Amino acid sequence: MKDSEMLSFIQGLPKTELHLHIEGTFEPELMFKIAKRNNLEIKYADVEELKRAYSFNNLQEFLDIYYAGASVLIEEQDFYDLTWAYLTKVHEENVKHVEIFFDPQTHTDRNVSFEYVLNGIYKALEDGQKQLGISFKLIMSFLRHLDEASAFKTLEQALPYKDKIIAVGLDSSELGNPPSKFKNVFKKALDEGFLTVAHAGEEGPSEYIREALDLLKVGRIDHGNRCLDDIDLVKRLAKEQMPLTLCPLSNLELKVIKDLKEYPLLKMMEHNLLVTINSDDPAYFGGYMNENFWGITKALNLSKSQIAELAKNGFKASWLSPNEKQTYLKEIDLYLLNN
Ligand SMILES: [Zn+2]
């Protein structure tokens, strides 16, 4: 099959995104524009120099640049513009529903108000729903390199906004920061009615995935690649149909894998794992949803029905209502039939 035919199949497929850090959608052009507006310096001379710095050997090298970039976000309008830029981008890629992360501590630790961050992001999401037809849920992530006391403080700040935040998550430097470090704050979040998710098994061991399931009671595992080291865990994840939000280009850029050809996606699908495709931090990792789908399609020689299956998994793994899910699943079946 011709590349162009597959690309247009991917383009037209209705998609959802479940693993996306809004701060990771900060494109260099917008970063310079907002820095200028806020009279802040960026340590790179121009957009080109900044783009050249986007080459990483591991998660930590990426995080260092990611936090430097996020530091120019100050006003509510900045968070609105960041989120709106993401939504218009994925709208072009036929993404219908997003469940995105934001990291309040990245901003509140710089004395930016929690309210500005939340309101800016949320207003853009509401406008995206109205103007672009993209439905959404918002997930607040705790930074795991910070301590649990800081996560508790963040949870307190979020309590007045329970109607706007559906879940809490856990991200940032994984190794040495196991889910068990946050078991008390997740317990409190669950008691307050939040759903829970956590990054686990990206760089960290499969044991972290077990901890996320057993101690944090997560409804999805973000990444989860390392489950393959533990066959009993794989069986459990398959049996529970626990979603894994995979991020192929992110894994490639951060050297979790050397080549997309070794991406264990087919093996995971053979094990009947509920795997979904996502972009993680697309401004930094070379691509949004379609680029991720295209990357694995090309590397693993996926068929149209396998690609459609992955798109369906995204809707199944989402927090849409059963009726909404059915509508999208039928739409994808019909799309596959006609394309
Ligand atoms: Zn992530």
Side-chain angles (χ1 to χ4, degrees), residues 19-21 101 171 199 202 222-223 247 280-281:
H19 183 155
L20 181 281
H21 305 268
F101 302 113
D171 61 15
H199 284 50
E202 177 187 13
D222 297 312
H223 294 294
C247 306
D280 207 2
D281 301 285

Side-chain angles (χ1 to χ4, degrees), residues 18 29 46 116 151 165 200 228 231 332:
L18 307 179
E29 291 80 3
D46 52 30
Y116 281 8
I165 300 169
L228 292 170
I231 188 63
I332 293 174

